[in-house]
Amino acid sequence: MMIVTRTETLQDQHNPNSKIKPFLFGTDFRQVCLGVVMPWLLPSQLEHLSSSPSQRQCEQTSFSFYCAVRERLPVWLLEDMRGMEVFSWEDGHPRAFLPSEALLYALVHDHQDYARHLLDTYSVSALRAPRCGFCCRRSSGAPHLSVAVRYDRAAILSMMAAALKHADSLTDYLESRGGCSHVADAGKTAVQLAVELSRPDCLLLLLAHGARPAGLEAALQRLVSCEEAERSQAQRCLDFLLLFLPEPEAPRQLQDEPRRWQSLLGNQVFSWLCGLAPPPLLLQALRCLARSGPDQISTLPDFLQPHSWQ
């Protein structure tokens, strides 16, 4: 088990060049720990921390558990730690970490074996929104979906969809919005977040499992505003949205700057989006394949991938 000492320097795995200076076990140290342990929370919320020694101890062991998942320790060891140690603090009492909380850690660090174990063992209960530690209410929405998309964990996202495959709530779950204001992605569906962050693999999984293909205007705006290095990913997101769209209404961008968008999208796709022509034959064929599962598209040869419609 990894325990943080007074003299250690913390390092964020997602930004190896970023190091956090060590602090004493006071408020500053606990703010650092919670900021690393729960990176999906807004930084301003880290100020509301208790000075209780017992709570500080829970926060320290919580960080130890986070480090263990980050190091991708064996599943059996992580489950022993979760079941035998106290990590979390709720209503003035310590308690063990819930499977849903452990799954959030597995998502952040792409610990696929641990995520698979949690989903196989606890099924839908591993996807329940954990209680918010700041407003003392159970979080609404689907935080696991948001974290999976934000960290681009397509493999674990696929496991989550499989766990919900036979659940009546699958569609509602995919359409959930982050409801707790303490979360940076509050109010956004997973599809909207995937478009905003250019996560095409996650977007395709969500759409293929029944999520509503919303966000066409955002996808078009992302295509023209993103950096050159992200352009191909933004293009793929737009392509996948087009595969699942019903009869589209012409977005305002196309009406305001028709020549620009005609050049970007190609004549056939532009005319279809504007309601001036039926969709291209290749697009129609790919739309049929898309509705039969995401694997059908990813296995096609490159010249038949969606970006070749133009």
Side-chain angles (χ1 to χ4, degrees), residues 227-248:
E227 299 291 336
E228 185 65 31
E230 301 176 4
R231 187 67 52 81
S232 63
Q233 297 293 80
Q235 179 67 61
R236 289 184 67 210
C237 284
L238 174 61
D239 290 343
F240 290 147
L241 275 179
L242 295 181
L243 288 179
F244 290 87
L245 276 176
E247 292 302 319

Side-chain angles (χ1 to χ4, degrees), residues 199-266:
R199 302 283 193 259
D201 294 333
C202 291
L203 178 61
L204 180 57
L205 276 167
L206 293 166
L207 296 174
H209 285 93
R212 188 167 60 91
L216 177 59
E217 291 192 13
L220 291 170
Q221 183 61 36
R222 176 71 175 163
L223 182 63
V224 296
S225 63
C226 67
E227 299 291 336
E228 185 65 31
E230 301 176 4
R231 187 67 52 81
S232 63
Q233 297 293 80
Q235 179 67 61
R236 289 184 67 210
C237 284
L238 174 61
D239 290 343
F240 290 147
L241 275 179
L242 295 181
L243 288 179
F244 290 87
L245 276 176
E247 292 302 319
E249 296 182 5
R252 178 172 296 179
Q253 297 105 307
L254 305 189
Q255 300 172 359
D256 292 342
E257 300 180 275
R259 292 186 178 180
R260 179 189 190 187
W261 289 106
Q262 192 171 18
S263 174
L264 283 171
L265 300 174

Side-chain angles (χ1 to χ4, degrees), residues 266-285:
N267 292 332
Q268 291 182 313
V269 173
F270 175 82
S271 297
W272 170 59
L273 289 177
C274 291
L276 303 176
L281 291 177
L282 179 57
L283 173 56
Q284 294 185 52

